[in-house]
Amino acid sequence: MHGRYFNFNPPPPEQDVLGNPLVVPKLPTHKLPKETWRSRFSRFLAHYHLGSQKSETRLRWKVYDTITAVMASVSPSDPSIASKSARRNGGRAGDATSIAKIRHPHQLKPAFEFTLNLPAHLANEAKFLELLLALILRKYGETMSGVQNHPFSFESEAKEYFNTAFKTERQLKNFNSPEERYAAIQNIYTNYYHGRLYYLYAVVRRERLREDSRLFSLLCRGAYFMARVEWNGELLDKPNTRMLPTRREILFHAQRDNAVLQHVKTDQEFSQQVQAMLKAFPE
């Protein structure tokens, strides 16, 4: 496969990229937890390499910088607001998430991934960031519904991507030539990649998922497959644990998937299956 590179970060599905940047008016800035004067003063000192800051403090700053940049990316105002805000707080513009006008949620992937792993002591900030991302997803969904002339659902899209990946994965043994197998693995990876993100968008948007939804199980299967893919497109026998999502990330989905929650309450066998799936991921 000389000269070919496996694509571990596929671009957004072309048909789902908006023609115009997404704008979300009236963002709920009043709900954002306020930084204390001590935090702002520490930022000021840090800008001039003075004083010492705990890792917890630096993480809190990163949360605020991420929130500011996400808001700027969908604000009707000048996106330079995030850079100005970062400087006012004693930080650098480069500390925040990259600011770009949003045409697809994949552009905010770092912010979504950041939200999945925020610790308990930043619960209020995490709640606001999730609310902000949910508002963006709702506006995106409304816009896509208008473009397509029918209701847009991240759940339906995720299911389609997951099913395509699953069916192709089951046929993988039938691809004999190296070229066909490489293309098939890339196709499986890409569909699992989009399926995982669209499922995440569905639970953050708080879509009411169907009771027969198997998205959580397919999420786990997709995560395992993707962690088996090496840099050259070959498949490992077992997943690389460093490439697996954390248990916290997987649990994030289960706690927001109404279909999983309801099924766990009424089916003890399914509840045990969910616990087993969670244990399969690193802490």
Side-chain angles (χ1 to χ4, degrees):
M1 308 306 297
H2 181 68
R4 298 184 65 173
Y5 296 92
F6 198 87
N7 188 355
F8 289 98
N9 291 288
E14 188 174 341
Q15 70 274 12
D16 291 344
V17 177
L18 298 175
N20 296 314
L22 192 68
V23 174
V24 183
K26 299 180 180 179
L27 293 170
T29 53
H30 62 286
K31 293 186 178 182
L32 173 63
K34 304 300 181 183
E35 278 194 274
T36 65
W37 70 269
R38 289 181 182 276
S39 175
R40 291 195 298 271
F41 184 63
S42 294
R43 272 183 182 261
F44 175 80
L45 293 177
H47 181 62
Y48 294 100
H49 307 288
L50 299 173
S52 60
Q53 294 79 33
K54 297 179 181 179
S55 59
E56 289 184 6
T57 301
R58 292 190 175 277
L59 181 59
R60 188 182 298 275
W61 294 346
K62 187 175 180 181
V63 174
Y64 280 95
D65 287 343
T66 299
I67 288 171
T68 302
V70 170
M71 290 175 63
S73 69
V74 293
S75 171
S77 60
D78 189 337
S80 65
I81 183 176
S83 298
K84 294 174 183 176
S85 176
R87 287 194 292 270
R88 281 198 304 269
N89 287 318
R92 297 184 300 274
D95 292 336
T97 300
S98 297
I99 303 165
K101 286 302 182 179
I102 303 302
R103 288 182 167 84
H104 190 277
H106 279 15
Q107 291 175 263
L108 292 173
K109 181 171 175 276
F112 280 99
E113 292 176 338
F114 187 47
T115 306
L116 292 177
N117 288 290
L118 286 176
H121 72 273
L122 290 172
N124 290 335
E125 288 80 3
K127 184 177 180 180
F128 180 84
L129 182 54
E130 186 176 345
L131 169 64
L132 179 60
L133 293 171
L135 291 173
I136 293 172
L137 292 174
R138 287 171 195 156
K139 183 65 175 179
Y140 173 86
E142 292 170 4
T143 306
M144 284 297 294
S145 295
V147 171
Q148 299 179 349
N149 293 316
H150 63 79
F152 178 86
S153 164
F154 285 115
E155 178 198 18
S156 297
E157 298 295 320
K159 185 176 181 180
E160 185 174 338
Y161 284 117
F162 275 142
N163 285 338
T164 298
F166 179 67
K167 290 176 182 177
T168 309
E169 184 184 352
R170 295 186 66 181
Q171 297 296 319
L172 193 56
K173 60 181 180 295
N174 297 328
F175 296 98
N176 298 318
S177 73
E179 291 78 12
E180 289 180 331
R181 182 175 173 81
Y182 180 94
I185 292 174
Q186 178 69 79
N187 179 269
I188 297 166
Y189 185 99
T190 298
N191 279 281
Y192 273 139
Y193 179 93
H194 293 316
R196 285 176 62 183
L197 284 173
Y198 275 60
Y199 178 35
L200 175 60
Y201 303 153
V203 297
V204 171
R205 191 190 182 196
R206 299 289 180 163
E207 294 183 8
R208 187 153 190 84
L209 308 188
R210 290 184 288 268
E211 291 184 7
D212 62 347
S213 171
R214 295 179 56 245
L215 295 186
F216 183 73
S217 298
L218 289 167
L219 164 73
C220 296
R221 185 183 183 95
Y224 255 66
F225 180 90
M226 293 170 70
R228 290 175 56 205
V229 181
E230 289 201 278
W231 64 271
N232 58 0
E234 294 293 328
L235 274 184
L236 298 168
D237 292 333
K238 295 181 180 180
N240 181 345
T241 55
R242 290 178 299 177
M243 302 302 294
L244 285 171
T246 63
R247 193 174 303 169
R248 183 200 294 263
E249 293 176 64
I250 299 299
L251 185 60
F252 182 97
H253 297 74
Q255 291 173 329
R256 290 160 178 77
D257 186 332
N258 55 279
V260 170
L261 294 176
Q262 187 62 32
H263 203 173
V264 164
K265 291 179 182 178
T266 57
D267 188 333
Q268 185 175 2
E269 182 180 352
F270 179 74
S271 177
Q272 292 173 345
Q273 290 174 359
V274 169
Q275 292 180 42
M277 284 188 280
L278 289 172
K279 289 180 180 178
F281 292 92
E283 292 190 28

